[in-house]
Amino acid sequence: MRFWKMHGLGNDYIVIDNRDQKISDMHVAELAKKLCERRFSVGADGLLLVCKSTIADVKMRIFNSDGSEAEMCGNGIRCFSKYCYETGILKKSDFVVETMSGIKHVWLIVKDDEVQTVKVDMGAPNWERASLPMVGEGTCINENLDVDGQLYKVTCLSMGNPHCVIFVDNVDEFVVDCVGPIIEKPKGFPKTN
C-alpha cells in the first residue's frame, strides 16, 4: 500500500489515494485505527482518503485515529490538496474538494511543481450549540466551563468540525496537553462521550 505521511501545523496524517476503492467502507475504520497507532504502526492523528466525487474535483474522507469519520479538518485539507497536486491527481492550482461539511475551495501557490502554500475557504463559523453539538441553546461565547474543578472561559464554534477555544495570556505556558484531553470528554459535548 502506497501512502504519504504529512503534517500541517503539527497535525499528522497518512494520505492514501483510494479512487479505486480498494479500501472498502467496511474496513476503513479498522484500517485507520491500525495505521494511526503510534509506536506500533505508521502513527498519525488521522487517515485521509482521496476519493472520486460527482460534485467536486475530488472528495476527501477523514478518519480519526480511533476510526471515527470526521466532517472536516483545516490542516488535513491543506495536506490533502498538496498530495493531490504533487501526485498528479489534480494538476491545477485552484480546485474544489467535497467533504462531509460541504464543498471547500482551495488555492495553491506552486513553485517548481512543488506546493508552497495552500489557502482554503473554510466558510463562515457556526456558533450555535446544536451544530457542535453542545448541551444548551444559543451560542457559547466567553462562558465558564468547569474542567475538573478549574473554571475556564471558553468559546465554542464549528468550522465543519467542533472547536472549543480558550484565550490565554501566554500560549507557551498553558498546559494544553493536560487540559485539552479533559475538555474533549465533558458532559456538555454529547457527541464525544
Side-chain angles (χ1 to χ4, degrees):
M1 178 181 297
R2 296 183 60 82
F3 67 89
W4 279 23
K5 175 77 184 281
M6 305 176 77
H7 84 89
L9 295 174
N11 290 128
D12 59 337
Y13 307 95
I14 299 162
V15 189
I16 298 174
D17 183 352
N18 196 44
R19 291 174 298 158
D20 59 7
Q21 298 178 321
K22 283 185 181 175
I23 302 171
S24 71
D25 284 350
M26 189 168 64
H27 297 107
V28 68
E30 194 58 38
L31 179 65
K33 285 194 261 186
K34 286 180 182 176
L35 290 177
C36 292
E37 188 174 5
R38 298 201 187 272
R39 292 178 291 281
F40 293 101
S41 189
V42 178
D45 293 322
L47 170 65
L48 305 177
L49 294 182
V50 179
C51 303
K52 291 181 181 177
S53 174
T54 59
I55 59 173
D57 292 307
V58 68
K59 179 178 180 178
M60 176 179 73
R61 293 186 70 192
I62 307 167
F63 292 87
N64 296 314
S65 60
D66 65 2
S68 63
E69 190 165 8
E71 295 89 357
M72 179 56 196
C73 176
N75 290 329
I77 197 169
R78 292 184 312 109
C79 292
F80 177 90
S81 299
K82 178 179 173 75
Y83 176 88
C84 286
Y85 183 89
E86 291 186 2
T87 60
I89 293 169
L90 290 170
K91 272 302 192 187
K92 51 187 183 176
S93 60
D94 177 345
F95 55 89
V96 290
V97 179
E98 177 185 351
T99 73
M100 282 181 59
S101 70
I103 302 294
K104 305 299 178 193
H105 197 147
V106 299
W107 298 267
L108 312 178
I109 295 178
V110 180
K111 182 179 178 186
D112 299 326
D113 215 32
E114 183 177 319
V115 175
Q116 302 296 305
T117 61
V118 179
K119 178 181 169 183
V120 182
D121 181 353
M122 296 285 290
N126 187 334
W127 302 95
E128 293 299 316
R129 290 174 185 254
S131 72
L132 298 173
M134 184 179 182
V135 171
E137 294 181 16
T139 61
C140 176
I141 298 174
N142 201 33
E143 292 188 15
N144 288 330
L145 179 67
D146 185 320
V147 180
D148 285 351
Q150 176 75 35
L151 280 182
Y152 293 97
K153 289 283 188 185
V154 300
T155 296
C156 298
L157 67 143
S158 175
M159 289 301 299
N161 59 334
H163 290 74
C164 181
V165 180
I166 301 172
F167 292 99
V168 297
D169 292 329
N170 187 331
V171 71
D172 293 327
E173 293 179 5
F174 187 73
V175 288
V176 70
D177 292 346
C178 298
V179 175
I182 299 169
I183 288 178
E184 288 177 351
K185 300 295 179 189
K187 295 174 186 163
F189 300 93
K191 194 172 180 181
T192 60
N193 287 332

